[in-house]
Amino acid sequence: MQDSFKQMARAGFSLACERNKYPILEVLRTFMSAGHRVLEVGSGTGQHAVFFGANFPQASWQPAEISEHLPGLRVRLQSEATDNVLAALDLDVRMNPWPVSEFDVVFSANTLHFMSADCVRNFFRGAQQVLQRDGYLLVYGPFNYGGEFTSASNADFDVWLRESDPGRSIKDFEWVCELASTHDLQLLSDTEMPANNRSLLWRKLTSL
């Protein structure tokens, strides 16, 4: 038992993941199919990978993270993940090309506001490269609309982000959608989610 607690401490824990995993699951169920190959960019603690992998047992789930966060992620996957969740991949969105390809779905939660604008551009470039034609991109997190925060808490969060790193910020919905459109991604839905977050779903229209 003591060893299990030590492993969990190394893996880390996100309360936000526990709160949002069920609402995100409902969005995933609107388009996920058996046999889909999913790339999760920024898997963090691995809680989403474990939960969604278990809920889509016929899909293949590929977690990915930057190298410094891989050790804790791998601990959780080794102890909790189902067989359809693959070993965690070292992936930085600035890599060109990304070291994987041919996915039906790219998923990323609570990542874009931790990225610089250049990294977000690289994120959409990479997503276009690895998605198959008619593949889906699902992004979860806070966004601004018309240059305005959707809540006081998001405004406070943005201040904290910029103080921790000047490159971080809540991104504008319109700017993100413009980026997506330049990479052959058509917005399918913009869904309100808990705690002033959104789920943005795009579909890739053409092949590279």
Side-chain angles (χ1 to χ4, degrees):
M1 181 65 72
Q2 187 177 17
D3 289 341
S4 297
F5 283 126
K6 287 180 180 178
Q7 285 188 336
M8 290 301 296
R10 288 174 56 202
F13 181 82
S14 168
L15 185 58
C17 284
E18 291 303 302
R19 289 173 173 169
N20 63 38
K21 65 184 183 182
Y22 286 101
I24 294 174
L25 176 63
E26 293 308 308
V27 176
L28 286 168
R29 281 175 169 160
T30 65
F31 66 90
M32 282 276 290
S33 298
H36 267 172
R37 297 186 66 227
V38 184
L39 171 65
E40 181 184 7
V41 179
S43 297
T45 63
Q47 289 163 249
H48 278 160
V50 168
F51 179 73
F52 297 135
N55 277 275
F56 295 103
Q58 294 181 307
S60 172
W61 197 277
Q62 174 64 74
E65 253 298 351
I66 58 175
S67 57
E68 64 189 274
H69 298 315
L70 282 175
L73 171 60
R74 285 171 172 161
V75 166
R76 170 160 280 113
L77 298 181
Q78 289 168 3
S79 61
E80 299 180 28
T82 48
D83 290 342
N84 60 317
V85 179
L86 306 179
L89 177 74
D90 185 354
L91 173 63
D92 187 313
V93 296
R94 293 170 292 185
M95 295 174 176
N96 190 14
W98 287 2
V100 287
S101 62
E102 298 185 355
F103 286 90
D104 303 291
V105 180
V106 172
F107 165 69
S108 194
N110 287 325
T111 56
L112 297 194
H113 49 280
F114 285 107
M115 296 183 191
S116 67
D118 282 343
C119 283
V120 174
R121 294 185 184 97
N122 287 323
F123 171 80
F124 280 97
R125 169 193 49 77
Q128 180 196 33
Q129 289 176 348
V130 303
L131 276 174
Q132 301 194 78
R133 185 173 182 175
D134 295 326
Y136 297 92
L137 171 62
L138 179 64
V139 174
Y140 172 92
F143 294 93
N144 293 335
Y145 289 79
E148 300 291 334
F149 296 105
T150 60
S151 68
S153 62
N154 277 5
D156 291 341
F157 182 44
D158 188 76
V159 171
W160 178 85
L161 286 167
R162 293 174 187 271
E163 288 178 347
S164 63
D165 184 329
R168 295 174 174 177
S169 66
I170 294 178
K171 306 303 187 288
D172 288 343
F173 167 81
E174 294 83 3
W175 177 70
V176 168
C177 285
E178 182 179 352
L179 274 180
S181 67
T182 64
H183 291 288
D184 300 325
L185 294 163
Q186 180 184 50
L187 185 69
L188 297 182
S189 63
D190 173 9
T191 305
E192 184 177 358
M193 303 293 279
N196 303 304
N197 289 298
R198 314 291 298 190
S199 279
L200 307 182
L201 178 64
W202 289 273
R203 190 165 196 175
K204 183 177 177 181
L205 298 179
T206 61
S207 58
L208 291 173

